[in-house]
Amino acid sequence: MQSASDQLPEHDYPDHWEADVVLRDGGTARIRPITADDADRLVSFYEQVSDESKYYRFFAPYPRLSAKDVHRFTHHDFVDRVGLAATVGGEFIATVRYDRINDRGLPASAPADEAEVAFLVQDAHQGRGVASALLEHIAAVARERDIRRFAAEVLPANNKMIKVFTDAGYTQKRSFEDGAVRLHLDLEPTDRSLAVQRAREQRAEARSVQRLLTPRSVAVVGAGRAPGGVGRTVLRNLLGAGYTGRVYAVNAALAGDGGPVAFDGVPAHPSVAAIGEPVDLAIVAVPAERVPEVVADCGEHGVQGLVVLSAGYAESGADGRERQRQLVRQARSYGMRIIGPNAFGIINTAADVRLNASLAPQTPAAGRIGLFTQSGAIGIALLAGLHRRGAGLSSFISAGNRADVSGNDFLQHWYDDPGTDVVLLYLESIGNPRKFTRLARRTAAVKPVVVVKGARHSGSAPPGHRVPVTRIPHATVSALLRQAGVIRVDTVTELVDAGVLLAAQPLPAGPRVAILGNSESLGLLTYDACLTEGLRPLRPLDLTTAAEPADFRDALVAALADETSDAVVVNAIPWVGENGATEFGDGEVLAASLREAVASAQAPTKPVVVVHVEMGGLAEALAVATSTRPTAPGRGAAAAPGSRPTGLPAAPGPGTAGPGTAGPGTVPGAASAVPASAVPAPVPASAVPAPASGASASAVGDGEGDAGPGSAPAPVPPATIPSYPAAERAVRALAEAVRYGQWRRQAAEPGRVPEYEDIDEAGAAALIERVLGGDGADPRGVTLDTAQAGELLARYGIAVLPTLPAPTPDAAVAAAGRLGYPVALKTTAPHLRHRPDLGGVRLDLASEEQLRTAYAELTEVLGKPEELLPVVQTMVPRGVDTVVRSAIDPAVGAVLSFGLAGAASELLGDTAHRLVPATDRDVADLVRSLRTAPLLFGWRGSAPVDTPALEEVLLRVSRLVDDHPEVVAVSLEPVVVAARGLSVLGATVRLAPPPPRTDLGPRSLPSY
């Protein structure tokens, strides 16, 4: 007789449960369902588990699995009984399973909503976070199968497994029964479980990047015998940077050679296997067709990560895309992560690493900027530009096709990297916009994130990049990034301009700008540029062309001490000597005077920028001048002059800045540019606002973390005074710093999502279920009729003005009699709707005669009533016509939009956007961010409108869309905002099955 477990119904293999995950130590594993084909793998796995772990799993000695056990643990129906395995190299390293049970603990089927869960992790892989990752995935599977609770029995001595459950963040109950700990977990995600999940994700992904940046040994695979070529170039650059680890060269052509071989003094081998020593990182520079054998060689011998410089992948067409998919799958099967393919390389300037595993011939100076690019050519340009401006780097990555490791991973790393104060990103595509926005917001709360986006126009995404389909325009994406605190610039020049200022100077406390210099004309240009950028410039101080360096010094000292300004722009042109000759060579003298002024300031906290025109040597001299920034809180008075203070929340992390000693990449003589006594005093901790809630990844989770090599910042030169050859460039960079500083201050006290007592969430849900679940409902969605839309919006306190159809003149008169005069007569035909400029609206009709006359005019000019679909509405108080919309985009999620109604606003694209759920602060900023916003606030003597009422409607729409993801689109048009109150004259609502929320599921890497 067969047991119940043998009589399982057939279900399709759920391939969507397969996922690659990053573990706590930075390695990867694949999670997938266990099938009947896994019997041998299960037996092999179980043989490698210690007797103690087996005892903890079965509560008794259990040396081996019986044939019945193997059958039971490999045969599942994927509904009531499910097993998942974590694999590396195709072999099991951990398993988890659940069995659905009833209230008596016996095997059951739906509608029973509880399941018993059990784990087993190979001893060699315990402590890597495998069980935590498996719990996230098995819980997601259970929720999909309508299981709401897990039950587990754990021996009291099994502290590791108890910790897995208790740290997960789910609502739980705990009891002690029959010598075992009995745990019950409610699987509904909570704020804490999501926070735990994201904290673990941050630590794991940051660690995976750290492993790539801090290898103890590097093998260059594809280094040629003769100098030149990609492989030998990288080998030479590794050696030239003074890499502190072991370096090996690998060339398959050496297989037939006898005796030791060396390239540039580096031992050369025919394969990674032949090295005979551990290799942490492999740089792959072989033709694409040979890469699979290299990946296998590396994976089988413990290599942790790959930098694939080889081209010929997705950028080359369909065959290349398939080759790229196979590359990622193969590398992940061994637990390795990939930078590339088609990458330019990586650089880490930390003094204990000094890694230049790239094609960049010169290692940049050590500094505080983290730079990520998706283009090798742009990477070269940015490295050169930053070098000329005296800005050093903590790390540099050019990721090429970013098939695996992306900008998101490096944001995770830089978020709490103590050696990085500013993040610069050149992106040509954003693979996971929703996640990028979340990570950028968290990182921007503690350090600036500056982004320039290439390939901005629709359809121009670079070949080789996997990009989700998005329906929203580039301007909307930019607005959402700015909402997340990202400093969004348009060119790589602006990226460098902003980066050098943010890395060298404190953030301004406000928009007031002092301007001084020896050219009245240049001062006026700077003044105009400040007004253009929304800053508040003070009257320029003209020192006259006869001013000498000492005059600049005295004026700058006074400006830094003046409490009426928040930043200083110094303008300098060559001055005229006594004999009338123009003197170009005194730039170094002026730079010394500016340094002296900065050093003499008392606790200076203002940024200083210099605009120069043909001043010989000034820019170079300023590149080694000190900044006006104070010492960062918590880093001590002896912290390096290069450590970053901003007067705003500092990045959390275990590292501290090292002493300001000279090191590789230090500018000669720079360490003595400012005497120790001139270093400003620290900012009091009480004066620094706390980071935004949730900013610290260490606030939740299991608290594990390690610093490791490369975690401490490298010794860096003193910071620079940034200089610019044009006033517009200097002011634009300064304006970005002002706006970012304002965002940081607001982020320290985030807004709230108001609760409205009159919202009927249950009633709205019932209406939505009735519409979507009715007979004949279109699975693609449905647009609600006028009555249904009004009812749904009313559940959220949004009243829509009644509209009555008027198919005939008599019907129009009857409608007006019901509503009361005066009325409006409007056409609702799609080609005329919301187009008053086409004459389809007649207002203030105060009598039957006027209404009939208007009706006749409309039908005579625009068409028959059945074509125009006329309606009658009562008149409302005059005001400003606006539009409120919300839509769900598959790439970025729900977006709330606002603009003024009319063709002019549409033509200019004057629409503002915020992510849902929007806070009260978000919507206040949303309303004020339009170029046409002055029309709402009494422009040219008009009466200001009721913006609080408008903001409330925006918040209610945001709540509706956030509470009910089935509401995929809402349009309120027009919303007439009067001096007191507002009126919603038209509403359109569309319902559809909600798109999947990948950001709320278990941790996983993008699938290939």
Side-chain angles (χ1 to χ4, degrees):
M1 178 180 294
Q2 290 184 317
S3 67
S5 63
D6 295 319
Q7 301 172 348
L8 296 175
E10 292 293 330
H11 291 277
D12 292 337
Y13 177 79
D15 53 6
H16 64 286
W17 293 351
E18 295 183 356
D20 294 304
V21 297
V22 183
L23 303 178
R24 182 181 298 148
D25 62 357
T28 66
R30 184 159 187 80
I31 293 177
R32 65 169 178 82
I34 299 174
T35 70
D37 297 332
D38 290 318
D40 291 341
R41 293 186 185 88
L42 180 66
V43 171
S44 175
F45 158 73
Y46 194 77
E47 289 174 349
Q48 299 176 63
V49 175
S50 70
D51 290 340
E52 181 183 44
S53 294
K54 293 174 182 175
Y55 185 89
Y56 284 152
R57 168 63 177 84
F58 293 104
F59 292 16
Y62 215 92
R64 64 185 57 84
L65 297 176
S66 67
K68 184 177 180 180
D69 292 330
V70 172
H71 184 276
R72 179 169 180 267
F73 294 153
T74 56
H75 288 68
H76 304 97
D77 64 1
F78 303 127
V79 177
D80 298 327
R81 296 184 54 240
V82 172
L84 300 180
T87 68
V88 173
E91 299 301 320
F92 287 7
I93 64 169
T95 63
V96 63
R97 59 178 289 105
Y98 78 65
D99 293 85
R100 194 189 300 258
I101 58 175
N102 59 22
D103 55 2
R104 294 177 295 168
L106 300 176
S109 297
D113 62 357
E114 185 171 346
E116 194 167 45
V117 66
F119 294 78
L120 186 59
V121 181
Q122 212 172 80
D123 294 68
H125 295 276
Q126 291 178 9
R128 301 184 65 199
V130 185
S132 298
L134 282 173
L135 177 57
E136 289 179 21
H137 282 261
I138 197 73
V141 168
R143 288 192 295 269
E144 180 181 329
R145 298 310 193 196
D146 295 323
I147 291 173
R148 299 290 173 243
R149 291 179 304 282
F150 273 162
E153 287 189 352
V154 186
L155 289 175
N158 194 358
N159 294 317
K160 292 180 180 179
M161 188 52 60
I162 293 175
K163 186 174 176 61
V164 167
F165 288 115
T166 57
D167 286 353
Y170 295 113
T171 303
Q172 57 186 269
K173 296 180 181 178
R174 184 173 176 178
S175 60
F176 188 78
E177 302 175 12
D178 300 327
V181 177
R182 182 78 175 175
L183 295 166
H184 290 268
L185 276 70
D186 187 337
L187 300 184
E188 185 66 26
T190 65
D191 289 343
R192 175 162 174 76
S193 70
L194 187 60
V196 168
Q197 179 178 312
R198 289 177 173 173
R200 288 171 172 169
E201 173 191 64
Q202 189 274 328
R203 284 195 301 273
E205 293 179 359
R207 178 60 182 144
S208 73
V209 169
Q210 187 183 35
R211 296 205 314 179
L212 294 168
L213 289 173
T214 59
R216 294 162 299 182
S217 55
V218 176
V220 181
V221 183
R225 294 176 184 267
V230 174
R232 283 296 288 270
T233 298
V234 174
L235 184 64
R236 182 180 66 247
N237 294 344
L238 272 168
L239 300 174
Y243 172 58
T244 59
R246 300 183 301 278
V247 182
Y248 305 99
V250 175
N251 187 326
L254 299 177
D257 291 8
V261 179
F263 297 161
D264 295 328
V266 173
H269 305 272
S271 65
V272 173
I275 293 174
E277 299 286 341
V279 174
D280 290 340
L281 180 68
I283 314 300
V284 182
V286 301
E289 58 270 17
R290 286 193 48 218
V291 170
E293 64 186 79
V294 172
V295 174
D297 183 27
C298 293
E300 291 167 4
H301 293 88
V303 174
Q304 295 179 350
L306 306 173
V307 177
V308 181
L309 308 182
S310 311
Y313 287 88
E315 80 282 357
S316 63
D319 291 343
R321 284 194 294 272
E322 179 58 30
R323 189 179 298 120
Q324 185 165 300
R325 281 192 289 268
Q326 294 299 329
L327 168 65
V328 175
R329 290 170 181 164
Q330 183 185 16
R332 287 181 179 172
S333 72
Y334 290 108
M336 297 185 294
R337 300 214 68 183
I338 301 173
I339 291 179
N342 197 28
F344 187 74
I346 60 174
I347 296 173
N348 181 1
T349 64
D352 56 347
V353 181
R354 298 201 297 272
L355 173 73
N356 182 3
S358 77
L359 297 172
Q362 182 178 6
T363 303
R368 316 290 299 176
I369 295 175
L371 175 60
F372 177 92
T373 80
Q374 292 176 351
S375 163
I378 296 297
I380 294 172
L382 287 170
L383 288 174
L386 290 167
H387 175 74
R388 285 194 304 270
R389 305 285 288 276
L393 300 181
S394 61
S395 49
F396 163 77
I397 305 90
S398 180
N401 293 0
R402 59 152 187 76
D404 180 29
V405 175
S406 69
N408 284 348
D409 295 283
F410 279 91
L411 278 177
Q412 299 277 38
H413 167 70
W414 283 324
Y415 164 64
D416 57 5
D417 174 32
T420 301
D421 293 331
V422 179
V423 174
L424 305 184
L425 303 168
Y426 170 76
L427 304 176
E428 292 176 345
S429 62
I430 302 177
N432 188 340
R434 200 190 298 252
K435 181 176 179 180
F436 177 83
T437 302
R438 169 170 58 86
L439 299 186
R441 178 189 290 272
R442 185 191 59 190
T443 305
V446 293
K447 59 187 68 173
V449 177
V450 191
V451 172
V452 61
K453 175 77 166 57
R456 289 177 287 179
H457 299 289
S458 177
S460 60
H465 291 210
R466 299 175 66 251
V467 183
V469 177
T470 179
R471 295 186 293 265
I472 60 177
H474 166 74
T476 305
V477 175
S478 296
L480 299 180
L481 291 180
R482 286 192 178 277
Q483 181 191 2
V486 172
I487 299 172
R488 180 71 178 77
V489 297
D490 292 327
T491 68
V492 292
T493 300
E494 292 176 0
L495 186 74
V496 173
D497 285 348
V500 295
L501 187 152
L502 293 163
Q505 299 292 309
L507 291 176
R512 303 169 302 173
V513 180
I515 304 170
L516 62 92
N518 63 347
S519 168
E520 182 180 12
S521 298
L522 190 54
L524 291 175
L525 287 173
T526 305
Y527 186 92
D528 289 343
C530 287
L531 291 176
T532 299
E533 293 294 335
L535 302 179
R536 291 164 50 192
L538 307 183
R539 185 181 186 88
L541 174 62
D542 181 18
L543 303 178
T544 77
T545 55
E548 297 184 352
D551 299 315
F552 277 86
R553 178 199 60 209
D554 296 341
L556 180 55
V557 168
L560 290 173
D562 185 0
E563 295 182 355
T564 65
S565 67
D566 304 305
V568 183
V569 178
V570 178
N571 294 320
I573 63 171
W575 48 87
V576 180
E578 294 181 359
N579 58 0
T582 303
E583 300 181 11
F584 289 94
D586 288 336
E588 295 88 347
V589 179
L590 177 58
S593 295
L594 297 177
R595 287 200 300 269
E596 184 180 350
V598 167
S600 64
Q602 294 295 318
T605 58
K606 298 179 186 178
V608 176
V609 298
V610 175
V611 178
H612 63 91
V613 177
E614 298 297 334
M615 287 292 295
L618 177 62
E620 293 79 6
L622 287 174
V624 293
T626 183
S627 77
T628 62
R629 60 192 187 175
T631 304
R635 294 191 177 183
S643 61
R644 173 172 180 79
T646 64
L648 288 167
T656 55
T661 55
T666 302
V667 177
S672 60
V674 181
S677 60
V679 176
V683 174
S686 60
V688 180
S693 176
S696 174
S698 60
V700 292
D702 51 24
E704 293 196 15
D706 54 352
S711 59
V716 295
T720 63
I721 296 179
S723 61
Y724 302 85
E728 295 77 12
R729 287 175 56 182
V731 171
R732 190 175 298 119
L734 185 60
E736 294 293 359
V738 168
R739 287 189 283 267
Y740 171 67
Q742 181 182 14
W743 182 90
R744 276 275 290 269
R745 287 186 288 274
Q746 292 177 345
E749 297 179 2
R752 63 184 185 89
V753 177
E755 295 288 340
Y756 295 108
E757 294 183 357
D758 59 344
I759 285 180
D760 182 7
E761 185 175 344
L767 172 60
I768 292 169
E769 184 177 359
R770 185 169 68 249
V771 172
L772 290 180
D775 294 337
D778 190 338
R780 295 171 299 180
V782 60
T783 299
L784 299 184
D785 60 34
T786 301
Q788 290 173 325
E791 180 185 354
L792 179 61
L793 292 168
R795 302 281 186 182
Y796 272 73
I798 302 170
V800 182
L801 198 70
T803 300
L804 299 181
T808 66
D810 290 340
V813 171
R818 290 176 56 188
L819 297 174
Y821 289 98
V823 296
L825 178 66
K826 303 190 297 185
T827 62
T828 60
H831 66 289
L832 296 173
R833 181 175 295 176
H834 308 311
R835 292 296 306 275
D837 54 308
L838 298 181
V841 178
R842 297 291 189 272
L843 302 176
D844 288 316
L845 305 176
S847 66
E848 178 180 339
E849 180 183 358
Q850 291 181 4
L851 177 57
R852 289 185 181 276
T853 300
Y855 199 101
E857 291 175 350
L858 280 181
T859 54
E860 180 180 352
V861 174
L862 298 177
K864 300 177 181 179
E866 55 267 26
E867 297 172 345
L868 303 182
L869 305 176
V871 297
V872 174
Q873 275 187 326
T874 187
M875 289 297 298
V876 298
R878 298 281 183 170
V880 178
D881 290 2
T882 65
V883 181
V884 174
R885 291 193 177 102
S886 182
I888 294 182
D889 183 85
V892 301
V895 178
L896 181 68
S897 304
F898 171 72
L900 267 58
S905 292
E906 292 182 14
L907 182 63
L908 296 173
D910 191 20
T911 305
H913 312 273
R914 293 296 183 270
L915 288 175
V916 170
T919 67
D920 53 358
R921 178 169 289 170
D922 288 333
V923 299
D925 183 59
L926 179 70
V927 168
R928 289 158 180 79
S929 61
L930 298 177
R931 283 174 285 172
T932 48
L935 293 173
L936 301 169
F937 296 95
W939 184 66
R940 298 184 68 177
S942 62
V945 302
D946 193 348
T947 50
L950 175 60
E951 292 169 10
E952 181 177 329
V953 166
L954 286 162
L955 287 166
R956 288 177 179 273
V957 171
S958 173
R959 277 287 309 274
L960 171 63
V961 175
D962 189 47
D963 291 345
H964 306 283
E966 300 89 351
V967 182
V968 296
V970 175
S971 177
L972 308 183
E973 183 178 2
V975 178
V976 182
V977 190
R980 294 186 62 182
L982 55 76
S983 302
V984 180
L985 303 189
T988 303
V989 178
R990 181 167 178 79
L991 305 181
R997 288 289 303 271
T998 56
D999 58 321
L1000 296 181
R1003 289 174 287 159
S1004 65
L1005 291 169
S1007 61
Y1008 261 89

